[in-house]
Amino acid sequence: MTKRTSLKLTDERQLLLKRASEIVARDDLDDPPMSVVLDAALTHLVESRENLEDVRDQYPPQTVKDCCNTSVLGLRYRTAIESKWR
């Protein structure tokens, strides 16, 4: 990962940030800063991967795929968890 000092906010990215902000907000009046929303999203991604790793040997592969696959993380066969992003 390269470090950048700016973040280009495309329309799609702004929509994702708005949707994520609604999830992170305490209530309809809360407007969390972007840094809090990004921290929450990154933490969720890391924890989702860890959770997927933890359960993939406890349940049948199809059950794990049905419950845990997303557009970012997914179970491929029985041996690997892959990042589908980018």
Side-chain angles (χ1 to χ4, degrees), residues 1-73:
M1 177 178 76
T2 60
K3 292 184 179 182
R4 295 185 181 165
T5 57
S6 64
L7 178 66
K8 182 177 180 185
L9 293 179
T10 62
D11 290 343
E12 182 179 352
R13 189 172 282 154
Q14 283 184 314
L15 179 60
L16 287 171
L17 282 167
K18 181 181 183 303
R19 291 178 65 194
S21 179
E22 292 168 357
I23 294 168
V24 173
R26 283 183 292 249
D27 55 38
D28 291 341
L29 301 175
D30 190 20
D31 186 19
M34 188 185 310
S35 61
V36 170
V37 176
L38 292 172
D39 287 346
L42 293 171
T43 300
H44 178 66
L45 176 63
V46 170
E47 289 177 356
S48 293
R49 169 93 184 239
E50 291 169 353
N51 291 341
L52 189 51
E53 288 280 359
D54 289 345
V55 301
R56 69 188 186 120
D57 291 328
Q58 298 174 25
Y59 298 97
Q62 191 60 49
T63 300
V64 176
K65 286 175 73 171
D66 291 345
C67 295
C68 300
N69 279 2
T70 69
S71 61
V72 178
L73 290 177

